[in-house]
Amino acid sequence: RIKHYILLAASIVFYALFDVKYVSVLLGVTLLSYLVALKLVTLDGERQKKGYLISGIVIIIALLVFFKFWNYLFIVAGRLFGGATMSPSDAVRIIAPIGISFFTLEAIGYMIDVYRGNVPAERDFFKYALFISFFPKVMSGPIERSTNLLKQIREGVTFDYAKVKKSFLLILWGCFMKLLIANRLAVIVDAAFGSYNEQTGFTMLIAVIIYGIQLYVDFAGYSYIAIGLAGAFGYDLMDNFIQPYFALNVRDFWRRWHVSLSSWLRDYVYISLGGSRRGNIRRYVNLMVTFFVSGLWHGTGLHFVVWGLLHGVYQVISASLNKNRKQSCDNRFSSRLVKAVITFALVDFAWLFFRADSVGSALEIVRKMVLHPEVGRTIFDGLCLAGVEIRKGGLLAAELLLLLLVDICHEKKLQVSDWIDRQDKWFRWCVYLTMALFIIIGMVRDYGIDASTFIYANF
């Protein structure tokens, strides 16, 4: 009966370890959304309900904008009213509370769900506070729904040894993806993008491709760790990645990539704007607005907006091409492979703007890739390795192959953890210990790489 009190206290302590002064922001957003939801169920008039809902959303969004965009807005305002000499060093630096992009969306989603009647307003503040601050997902998601996690907290969960065992396997796999693959790929990507003016176009092409893989294994690795930690306590978090690079088109990609965010944008932005109910032109506008919001959510730079709008354009083109055409049912491997490669190329091109420091640097990298690839010199001088030893490169390739094989199994609905569970005890423990030792040895060998930093913690 006191389980949620213990987990809430642990979650608050966990959050306070990052920066204790921002616990007030977390609790403030929690209290505001809790009170707004309670008020919504006491009102009869639709106009009053909508007024309270909009007020709560506006306050939370204003808080999010203040922390995420303060430094950028300070410079813009300074140049408009204080002269063009204003520089970023003149701004009062404000560090955004960690996870604010995630728990604010959860709070907004909860209020909208109560307004729509999808969930009852939670009257136990401590249970609701646990839903918002639950430590496995507060830092970088998944962005949970009240219809899922809050429902489990409200109804209670029981201890399940099989779930705990499977959860720790997920944690191990997430650590493997993050510590052994993502961190090693980061060395190559950071070296290339950090000195892109000195790199060949072919080197940058490889770096952009590797960055797409790095982003996947880094964020999916975090998600597996978060889902595994929650599962060990009996709670099921939503899946966040479903083999996204096996997608056959960009629409399919967004059904598989950062599922908790893409589904949140669909349910609370796209559908709220009218979705596809008001004709094709309005549908296309709604798609562009939704992905524009996605770009803003990720960061203040114009390059994030360009990344979002690129995906909006992809969606509009895909929707317009399929408007009067039946979906293809060609399931041949060659056809699916070509579609998957084209989809990856489109997505990876957009990742270039996501990773670059600015739109200008992204366009310069594109220019180098097109006009100055220098393929021969890149291969002959080994520039594509970005200083990584061939031996370590071979080990990294083997790890990527293992990742690919596991993703193929999952795509075919074959759960590796279930297969391991059916084996003899001695075999299972050999797998567990081998994975753990492999991760520990890799951490020791790569000592000095910042293993604690997850890419999406920055957003």
Side-chain angles (χ1 to χ4, degrees), residues 283-302:
R283 178 190 181 188
Y284 301 154
V285 172
N286 293 343
L287 283 170
M288 293 300 297
V289 171
T290 301
F291 280 95
F292 173 75
V293 171
S294 178
L296 284 179
W297 181 86
H298 281 89
T300 58
L302 183 60

Side-chain angles (χ1 to χ4, degrees), residues 249-267:
N249 54 63
V250 178
R251 294 177 66 189
D252 186 29
F253 172 81
W254 279 106
R255 297 188 191 104
R256 296 163 172 263
W257 179 276
H258 201 172
V259 177
S260 63
L261 175 63
S262 59
S263 61
W264 193 98
L265 291 170
R266 178 197 65 206
D267 295 342

Side-chain angles (χ1 to χ4, degrees), residues 193 208 211 347-356 362 365-366 369:
F193 276 88
V208 172
Y211 177 67
V347 170
D348 203 53
F349 176 73
W351 285 141
L352 168 58
F353 291 88
F354 194 87
R355 176 59 178 80
I365 291 171
V366 172
M369 289 191 295

Side-chain angles (χ1 to χ4, degrees), residues 54-71:
I54 292 174
S55 298
I57 292 174
V58 167
I59 293 172
I60 291 176
I61 289 179
L63 190 68
L64 178 63
V65 169
F66 171 76
F67 279 109
K68 291 197 69 169
F69 293 86
W70 163 258
N71 301 309

Side-chain angles (χ1 to χ4, degrees), residues 20-70:
V20 68
K21 67 177 180 288
Y22 286 137
V23 172
S24 60
V25 177
L26 175 64
L27 294 179
V29 169
T30 303
L31 181 61
L32 174 64
S33 53
Y34 169 77
L35 293 175
V36 169
L38 286 181
K39 188 66 177 178
L40 289 174
V41 297
T42 64
L43 298 173
D44 294 326
E46 184 67 22
R47 188 172 182 179
Q48 284 184 309
K49 285 185 177 181
K50 187 171 289 187
Y52 270 96
L53 175 65
I54 292 174
S55 298
I57 292 174
V58 167
I59 293 172
I60 291 176
I61 289 179
L63 190 68
L64 178 63
V65 169
F66 171 76
F67 279 109
K68 291 197 69 169
F69 293 86
W70 163 258

